[in-house]
Amino acid sequence: MDAILDSIDQALREKGLSDSAASKLAVGHPSLIKNLRMPRDGEKRYNLPALMRLADVLDLEFYFGPRRPAGRPDNGVSLRNLSPDADSPSGFLIIPWLDAGLNRSSAPVAFSRAWLATHGLIPDFLLVAQPDKISVEDRPSGDSLVLLDTRPVIRKGHGLWCYREPGRISVSWVTFSGSVTVVQASDPEQEPQIIHGPPGGAISIIGKVVWLGQSLLMKGKI
């Protein structure tokens, strides 16, 4: 049995795609999966870049790294397209948590690839965080999630940013001006914190908030 082909076959059935259709979406020609199925003498070798693109089309995770905890995280989700042509070939993208090491790899939200592209967001630089403190007017109550763009090159001007400070993850207004970074204090009665040079030390900038959502479910009351 070939575990890779088994995963591909299951994903093809779930998405309603043929071998040739999925191959064409992944690499531009219809023979990729056909070639993968061809018997080989000795150990079978895969074209990894092509396999990565195929995994993206089929909403499969392509992972190589340290062993992860067995079992599915309590808040894990698995999303599939309703149809092969929904939004884009791979439809929706599940974003990883900021702290994936906390026995959780994927946040409980997914975003349309078309929406991400429209807003110029690059998936490789996106993370979801659950801040401990949101220091903005009319901030949402209850559990909140923020989608973060972590690209360092966008650290300029004024905007809503997520950062680490001792003991918590916070969201507040941040201004970048040359080599100076001004962070609005979490406590409205405190003076803004000014960081000279690259952000670091007590405050570490994580990413710009490009989406903010909240849960309207009261704990214990559904």
Side-chain angles (χ1 to χ4, degrees), residues 151-174:
R151 289 176 292 171
V153 295
I154 65 173
R155 295 183 182 181
K156 54 188 176 182
H158 178 74
L160 196 62
W161 285 74
C162 181
Y163 54 92
R164 293 184 190 273
E165 53 184 342
R168 66 185 178 189
I169 300 294
S170 298
V171 168
S172 187
W173 295 106
V174 175

Side-chain angles (χ1 to χ4, degrees), residues 2-21:
D2 188 317
I4 292 178
L5 285 176
D6 288 344
S7 297
I8 291 173
D9 286 336
Q10 181 178 348
L12 288 170
R13 288 192 296 269
E14 292 180 0
K15 295 182 71 66
L17 286 172
S18 65
D19 286 8
S20 59

Side-chain angles (χ1 to χ4, degrees), residues 6-193:
D6 288 344
S7 297
I8 291 173
D9 286 336
Q10 181 178 348
L12 288 170
R13 288 192 296 269
E14 292 180 0
K15 295 182 71 66
L17 286 172
S18 65
D19 286 8
S20 59
S23 298
K24 194 167 184 178
L25 289 171
V27 297
H29 65 76
S31 301
L32 172 62
I33 298 178
K34 178 182 177 181
N35 292 337
L36 295 179
R37 297 189 189 282
M38 292 180 62
R40 295 283 193 275
D41 292 331
E43 184 179 357
K44 181 179 290 188
R45 296 184 179 182
Y46 290 97
N47 181 321
L48 290 187
L51 199 60
M52 291 173 68
R53 289 192 287 270
L54 180 61
D56 190 46
V57 166
L58 297 178
D59 289 337
L60 294 174
E61 183 179 14
F62 190 94
Y63 175 79
F64 181 84
R67 289 187 180 275
R68 295 178 289 185
R72 182 178 174 184
D74 291 339
N75 57 356
V77 294
S78 177
L79 298 182
R80 300 290 185 186
N81 287 339
L82 296 177
S83 64
D85 58 348
D87 288 330
S88 68
S90 48
F92 291 83
L93 182 70
I94 302 175
I95 310 298
W97 283 108
L98 166 63
D99 293 313
L102 302 178
N103 194 29
R104 55 186 190 177
S105 57
S106 298
V109 291
F111 290 84
S112 161
R113 290 180 180 274
W115 184 86
L116 296 176
T118 298
H119 291 81
L121 300 175
I122 303 173
D124 288 350
F125 293 93
L126 298 179
L127 293 172
V128 166
Q130 194 167 26
D132 303 295
K133 182 77 171 179
I134 300 181
S135 302
V136 295
E137 294 181 3
D138 300 322
R139 64 184 181 271
S141 59
D143 295 332
S144 299
L145 295 175
V146 288
L147 177 65
L148 307 176
D149 187 339
T150 64
R151 289 176 292 171
V153 295
I154 65 173
R155 295 183 182 181
K156 54 188 176 182
H158 178 74
L160 196 62
W161 285 74
C162 181
Y163 54 92
R164 293 184 190 273
E165 53 184 342
R168 66 185 178 189
I169 300 294
S170 298
V171 168
S172 187
W173 295 106
V174 175
T175 301
F176 296 92
S177 179
S179 62
V180 176
T181 302
V182 180
V183 180
Q184 179 180 307
S186 298
D187 186 342
E189 296 184 358
Q190 294 179 354
E191 292 294 322
Q193 301 188 53

